[in-house]
Amino acid sequence: MKKVVKFGGSSLASAQQFQKAGSIIRAEKSRRYVIPSAPGKRFDKDIKVTDMLYECYETAIGGKNFDEKLKKIRERYDEIIEGLGLTLSLEKEFEQIHDFFEKGAGRNYAASRGEYLNGIIMAAYLGFDFIDAAEVIFFDDNGIFDAEKTNKILSERLKKSEYAVIPGFYGSMPGGKIKTFSRGGSDITGSIVARAAKADMYENWTDVSGFLVTDPHLVENPEPIETITYRELRELAYMGASVLHDEAIFPVRSEGIPINIRNTNDPAAPGTMIVESTCKKPKYTITGIAGKQGFAAVNIEKDRMNSEIGFGRKVLSVFEDSGISFEHIPSGIDTMSVFVHQSEFEEKEQKVLAGIHRAVRPDYLEVESDLALIAVVGRGMRSTRGTAGRIFSALAHANINIRMIDQGSSELNIIIGVSNEDFEAAVRAIYDIFVTLCLLEFSQNVISK
Ligand code: ASP
């Protein structure tokens, strides 16, 4: 058994958090490759080291004195080193960073130092090898991640180290320039290392016990999701559920390596397993509910639209020409609606409407605003009768008017459009009908037995 374990910023924000991570790693010999993030927030109003680095670098390239800002960053690391009782000095590293900042080494270089330094501390603390990500994670000249080159070189390098720490978030471009992934990118590094190591499992340790059925801001204490497929995760993540970086599933997905989201502050909790496919039925028919507010719909009506070849293409090309991506296009016989992000659409609205008039000469054109989309996602829906019926009766009972329904062709999700103001109540109603009711029935069964 071989595991790659990634720890997020809040899991490594202080010496105390490092100790928790350390005991998790030491608890299993199979936890061989460790991917640290930069130190995150220790408390609510705290600042992540990555943000401190960005700011410090801005000051440096603005030609101002950045000594004080760099000192504050160093203090974050020194506090961890001292708290762990290590005899390690980052003096040389900080001298070099100072020097490189003065020379304008780039924002990417600046940000990457957060995980680089944390990696050095982690390796010293665990007694593992340190592998600089710049030597094993590669981007091409255009800054696009080079998966094949990385996999080849990284897998060779890992063979030489039974236990190693590889900092997350960055790699290098041809010529050695440091390049980072987008924010939260250590999740991607973990996945890349898991693929190269041919790991049995990619454990992603964070500060929540996995994915929840819905957003805890909308429903109090939602139930955790035990197992979710990559495809379900994509659907939910797209609609705003975020625990893991969007790109992080691809490297492991191609190798069928499961991801286990775990909580550093509650290591006994099993967390969420993210898998390719599973015969495990979701506990509540649905796997998750996610949604977003702030959509607009352009409703187009034209007699005999259905027999006009190219109608849809002409409409969509108007959106394309204005650089607006569409989210959903539910259609009827003589009607078609295009859902877009309101903020993206607003400023180009009149241009788009004029464009549609010119392109298809509609009989009627109307814009609806302030809509929310809710995705009810679940692999269990395909084989369960009445799922849509339950959703709609729950919404009817809650007095919520449904403005749009769209069942994805994968039968993995049902998308429902409601007005922004009904959004929270709608999510709660759907949660209650599937989860709360199920839990209630379960507890009643237990009592009657
Ligand atoms: N430290 C980086 C960030 O704050 C990357 C990461 O934590 O994954 O975005």
Side-chain angles (χ1 to χ4, degrees):
M1 183 78 154
K2 201 190 288 174
K3 287 182 179 177
V4 168
V5 291
K6 181 256 165 180
F7 287 86
S10 57
S11 301
L12 301 174
S14 63
Q16 201 194 5
Q17 290 299 89
F18 253 79
Q19 277 158 348
K20 290 186 196 167
S23 18
I24 290 166
I25 297 162
R26 292 190 190 103
E28 278 186 33
K29 281 218 146 354
S30 60
R31 295 188 171 126
R32 288 180 37 188
Y33 300 119
V34 180
I35 318 300
S37 275
K41 292 184 181 189
R42 292 159 295 182
F43 43 86
D44 205 23
K45 295 251 152 59
D46 201 13
I47 304 172
K48 290 176 164 192
V49 164
T50 309
D51 292 316
M52 295 170 85
L53 283 161
Y54 279 127
E55 213 207 301
C56 180
Y57 185 69
E58 289 305 318
T59 311
I61 54 166
K64 296 199 199 91
N65 187 310
F66 59 96
D67 292 351
E68 198 48 40
K69 292 200 161 128
L70 198 59
K71 192 169 149 246
K72 285 247 151 39
I73 297 170
R74 175 145 187 204
E75 279 165 12
R76 291 285 309 260
Y77 289 103
D78 283 345
E79 190 187 298
I80 296 172
I81 293 172
E82 268 165 44
L84 295 175
L86 296 173
T87 49
L88 176 73
S89 165
L90 296 177
E91 183 70 33
K92 275 213 185 67
E93 280 77 11
F94 271 93
E95 268 169 25
Q96 193 181 49
I97 292 171
H98 193 280
D99 190 31
F100 275 47
F101 273 29
E102 272 180 338
K103 288 187 183 135
R107 270 173 64 79
N108 281 249
Y109 167 80
S112 74
R113 296 305 89 184
E115 348 299 279
Y116 173 77
L117 297 168
N118 234 15
I120 293 178
I121 299 178
M122 184 57 110
Y125 178 51
L126 296 169
F128 283 17
D129 294 343
F130 174 77
I131 303 177
D132 185 353
E135 288 162 20
V136 286
I137 306 267
F138 301 104
F139 294 83
D140 67 14
D141 284 317
N142 299 318
I144 310 283
F145 171 59
D146 188 337
E148 291 326 305
K149 180 177 174 192
T150 298
N151 198 46
K152 202 163 152 255
I153 295 179
L154 178 58
S155 53
E156 282 308 312
R157 177 64 191 82
L158 292 178
K159 278 184 199 146
K160 296 191 194 123
S161 286
E162 207 183 340
Y163 291 91
V165 174
I166 306 111
F169 192 36
Y170 70 94
S172 63
M173 307 218 295
K177 198 168 189 288
I178 298 290
K179 169 91 183 99
T180 61
F181 292 106
S182 56
R183 295 297 305 262
S186 300
D187 284 343
I188 310 175
T189 309
S191 184
I192 293 166
V193 174
R195 176 186 175 203
K198 295 202 174 5
D200 300 284
M201 176 83 77
Y202 168 26
E203 285 180 350
N204 188 298
W205 292 83
T206 176
D207 51 10
V208 289
S209 294
F211 281 90
L212 303 172
V213 172
T214 194
D215 185 346
H217 300 106
L218 303 176
V219 170
E220 208 180 316
N221 269 328
E223 286 288 292
I225 299 175
E226 280 170 16
T227 308
I228 186 169
T229 64
Y230 293 131
R231 289 168 69 211
E232 289 174 313
L233 181 66
R234 287 283 295 160
E235 304 273 357
L236 288 172
Y238 180 70
M239 272 295 182
S242 71
V243 171
L244 191 70
H245 192 294
D246 277 358
E247 301 290 317
I249 59 175
F250 297 112
V252 283
R253 185 177 184 168
S254 65
E255 300 288 320
I257 302 167
I259 307 175
N260 189 192
I261 308 283
R262 300 284 292 268
N263 188 350
T264 306
N265 303 318
D266 184 12
T272 300
M273 282 294 258
I274 309 170
V275 298
E276 169 88 63
S277 183
T278 175
C279 55
K280 279 200 195 123
K281 298 254 173 331
K283 234 168 151 176
Y284 310 106
T285 308
I286 59 156
T287 303
I289 311 160
K292 274 190 198 163
Q293 290 170 278
F295 290 94
V298 180
N299 300 326
I300 308 159
E301 244 180 79
K302 187 178 184 187
D303 274 348
R304 285 186 288 282
M305 167 196 290
N306 65 333
S307 55
E308 193 175 321
I309 293 175
F311 191 95
R313 178 184 51 77
K314 285 182 208 155
V315 169
L316 293 183
S317 65
V318 175
F319 286 88
E320 186 181 347
D321 294 344
S322 303
I324 297 174
S325 70
F326 69 90
E327 299 300 310
H328 289 280
I329 31 172
S331 62
I333 300 173
D334 290 331
T335 60
M336 169 177 177
S337 297
V338 183
F339 275 73
V340 288
H341 285 282
Q342 195 162 322
S343 56
E344 240 179 72
F345 177 68
E346 246 158 18
E347 54 192 81
K348 298 174 182 161
E349 174 188 79
Q350 295 310 319
K351 186 177 166 218
V352 173
L353 297 184
I356 296 174
H357 270 292
R358 267 195 299 273
V360 294
R361 300 274 165 228
D363 296 334
Y364 180 68
L365 196 56
E366 172 206 50
V367 179
E368 268 184 282
S369 57
D370 302 320
L371 298 173
L373 292 177
I374 299 168
V376 184
V377 175
R379 59 189 183 278
M381 294 193 320
R382 204 179 334 187
S383 56
T384 315
R385 260 171 290 151
T387 313
R390 285 169 78 189
I391 297 173
F392 302 138
S393 64
L395 293 177
H397 275 111
N399 251 328
I400 291 164
N401 187 18
I402 301 177
R403 312 282 282 274
M404 192 272 294
I405 303 160
D406 191 1
Q407 176 166 29
S409 40
S410 58
E411 279 191 60
L412 198 65
N413 64 1
I414 295 177
I415 311 269
I416 298 142
V418 298
S419 74
N420 272 346
E421 51 190 48
D422 284 336
F423 175 65
E424 293 189 10
V427 171
R428 272 197 291 272
I430 301 169
Y431 182 86
D432 283 344
I433 195 93
F434 287 101
V435 183
T436 316
L437 201 71
C438 179
L439 290 171
L440 210 71
E441 278 167 10
F442 179 72
S443 62
Q444 275 163 359
N445 277 346
V446 172
I447 293 166
S448 63
K449 271 180 195 163

